[in-house]
């Protein structure tokens, strides 16, 4: 029998999420591994999807997305960030941010090209860069004074003659960093000097805490013309199962993304596009409440993790915290994550799966805090037994 999986995708077998979720089911452990909320999004948004189905939004929508959603996205970018995009040519709807990122990478990078990513990175980045036949060049985020950041020299050194793009995720999963304007200026400088495209993953754009402010890279001088920005409804409106996302970029980039995307999925589920448009127009106050509630959940989880003996960097955004396991006497996050359900009845994700330099991430495990307070409380009281 010939090998059924193409060589460049070998090594992307069962994801750690599947393994850890199966472990959670088998052991009855609390799953703080996978990052989806255990409460639904706003009722008005759910109703909008049902209503769309009942009123006939059930056939193929236009490939680039429903005008209604593209207009809502353009209005959101303008109102929130002062970025102006033509909904007809510069906004494009995708199957979640995941497809937006995939189509962007596949349209920009071919065999032998290079894409710079910050590690730890979201797992789909590595897989889609491999699918493109391209090579990833990781730049490590390390804790400095309580938050994860990068060394500008390492970023510059990662760029070579074959580099096509830099993938920038802020707010960052799983490091929790929201890049400052200064950090973004460093990235923008590199893009401008080396003529690179930035692909930005902004799915946590609303979920920032304390004083942290999400600044889209496209708002920096000279960056709008070289940035492909990706976001989606899933995280903002607690509808991660809807997989409805969008790309905003100059028309030439949108055409490139469309050329790829039309043969991946052609179009995006019509009812959810109606509902996502409704959400962007009407539910931003709900998202503000979600943001506040997540900030409190972050603090709840961190207090418990620190009491249990982990050390953490307080995330400035997202659903996640990386916990350093060394103060508890452990060194290998993968070993601990596999043992944790038995030891403590909790599931976490070993962060090293998000790194190429495994040693930089070996001592972290990732916990999600987008869970009900009582779930977080029970998890941390179980984790307190680890000592
Ligand atoms: C959840 C997540 C995504 C995926 O978004 P979808 O809209 O569900 O495809 C992309 N990037 C990051 C960093 C995420 O955490």
């Amino acid at each position: 029998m010939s090998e059924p999986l193409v060589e460049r995708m070998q090594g992307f077998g069962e994801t750690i999420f599947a393994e850890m979720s199966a472990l959670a089911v088998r052991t009855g452990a609390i799953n703080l591994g996978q990052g989806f909320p255990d409460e639904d999004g706003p009722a008005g948004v759910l109703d909008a999807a049902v209503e769309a189905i009942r009123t006939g939004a059930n056939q193929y929508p236009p490939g680039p997305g429903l005008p209604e959603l593209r207009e809502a996205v353009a209005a959101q970018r303008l109102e929130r960030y002062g970025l102006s995009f033509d909904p007809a040519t510069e906004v494009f709807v995708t199957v979640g941010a995941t497809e937006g990122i995939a189509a962007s990478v596949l349209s920009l990078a071919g065999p032998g090209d290079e894409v710079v990513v910050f590690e730890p990175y979201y797992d789909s980045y590595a897989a889609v860069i491999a699918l493109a036949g391209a090579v990833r060049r990781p730049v490590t985020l390390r804790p400095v004074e309580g938050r994860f950041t990068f060394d500008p020299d390492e970023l510059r050194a990662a760029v070579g003659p074959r580099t096509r793009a830099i993938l920038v995720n802020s707010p960052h999963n799983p490091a929790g960093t929201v890049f400052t304007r200064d950090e973004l200026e460093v990235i923008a400088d590199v893009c401008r000097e080396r003529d690179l495209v930035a692909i930005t993953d902004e799915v946590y754009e609303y979920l920032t805490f304390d004083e942290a402010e999400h600044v889209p890279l496209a708002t920096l001088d000279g960056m709008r013309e070289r940035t492909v920005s990706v976001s989606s409804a899933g995280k903002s409106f607690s509808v991660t199962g809807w997989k409805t996302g969008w790309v905003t970029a100059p028309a030439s980039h949108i055409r490139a993304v469309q050329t790829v995307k039309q043969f991946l999925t052609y179009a995006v589920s019509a009812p959810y596009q109606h509902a996502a448009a409704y959400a962007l127009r009407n539910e931003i106050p709900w998202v503000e409440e979600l943001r506040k509630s997540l900030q409190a959940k972050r603090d709840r989880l961190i207090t418990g993790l620190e009491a249990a003996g982990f050390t953490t960097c307080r995330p400035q955004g997202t659903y996640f915290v990386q916990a350093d396991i060394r103060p508890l006497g452990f060194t290998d996050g993968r070993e601990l994550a596999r043992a944790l359900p038995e030891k403590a009845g909790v599931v976490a994700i070993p962060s090293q799966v998000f790194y190429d330099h495994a040693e930089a991430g070996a001592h972290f495990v990732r916990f999600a805090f987008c869970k009900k307070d009582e779930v977080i409380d029970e998890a941390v009281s179980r984790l307190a037994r680890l000592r």
Side-chain angles (χ1 to χ4, degrees), residues 76-349:
Q76 183 259 4
R77 300 304 280 180
L78 183 61
E79 196 175 307
R80 194 167 173 85
Y81 306 119
L83 283 167
S84 171
F85 290 98
D86 177 353
T89 58
E90 297 183 315
V91 183
F92 189 76
V93 179
T94 55
V95 180
T98 307
E99 192 195 39
I101 294 159
S104 303
V105 169
L106 290 167
S107 68
L108 277 164
D113 288 338
E114 296 180 2
V115 179
V116 172
V117 293
F118 293 93
E119 68 174 5
Y121 45 71
Y122 187 64
D123 61 342
S124 83
Y125 300 174
V128 77
I129 292 167
L131 263 181
V135 178
R136 62 181 180 273
R137 291 284 172 224
V139 175
T140 307
L141 299 174
R142 294 193 181 81
V144 179
E145 289 164 10
R147 63 191 280 282
F148 284 80
T149 187
F150 62 93
D151 176 344
D153 290 335
E154 279 182 37
L155 173 60
R156 288 189 200 101
V159 176
R162 294 298 306 266
T163 307
R164 296 280 288 139
I166 303 185
L167 236 164
V168 183
N169 173 215
S170 181
H172 186 278
N173 167 14
T177 295
V178 178
F179 283 143
T180 62
R181 218 170 261 282
D182 286 349
E183 287 165 331
L184 293 169
E185 271 305 342
V186 170
I187 298 169
D189 265 342
V190 172
C191 291
R192 289 179 299 232
E193 278 164 24
R194 311 296 292 269
D195 193 23
L196 306 179
V197 176
I199 302 168
T200 63
D201 177 345
E202 304 180 34
V203 299
Y204 297 101
E205 61 184 305
Y206 286 98
L207 306 185
T208 60
F209 310 134
D210 308 321
E211 304 308 308
E213 182 200 358
H214 171 61
V215 178
L217 191 58
T219 60
L220 273 63
D221 266 0
M223 287 307 290
R224 185 195 180 282
E225 66 212 55
R226 55 174 71 252
T227 302
V228 177
S229 306
V230 180
S231 193
S232 77
K235 307 291 163 52
S236 299
F237 303 104
S238 294
V239 287
T240 61
W242 285 15
K243 301 299 296 185
T244 304
W246 44 84
V247 178
T248 51
S252 57
H253 282 290
I254 292 293
R255 281 194 300 275
V257 168
Q258 176 168 15
T259 303
V260 172
K261 182 256 159 37
Q262 65 193 341
F263 300 116
L264 295 176
T265 53
Y266 179 60
V268 177
S269 182
Y272 299 120
Q273 292 193 59
H274 283 287
Y278 175 90
L280 285 170
R281 296 260 189 217
N282 299 286
E283 299 287 2
I284 300 306
W286 184 93
V287 181
E288 176 54 20
E289 293 306 309
L290 172 67
R291 189 196 69 72
K292 285 188 204 149
S293 125
L294 281 169
Q295 181 171 318
K297 288 176 189 299
R298 171 199 67 174
D299 294 339
R300 203 175 189 101
L301 178 61
I302 284 190
T303 304
L305 290 176
E306 300 264 342
F310 295 93
T311 54
T312 60
C313 284
R314 190 166 297 258
Q316 301 171 287
T318 78
Y319 287 168
F320 304 106
V321 57
Q322 295 226 95
D324 191 331
I325 64 177
R326 289 173 298 185
L328 281 161
F330 302 105
T331 51
D332 183 342
R334 194 188 293 264
E335 245 169 58
L336 179 63
R338 289 203 167 115
L340 206 53
E342 295 290 348
K343 270 185 198 291
V346 176
V347 165
I349 299 292

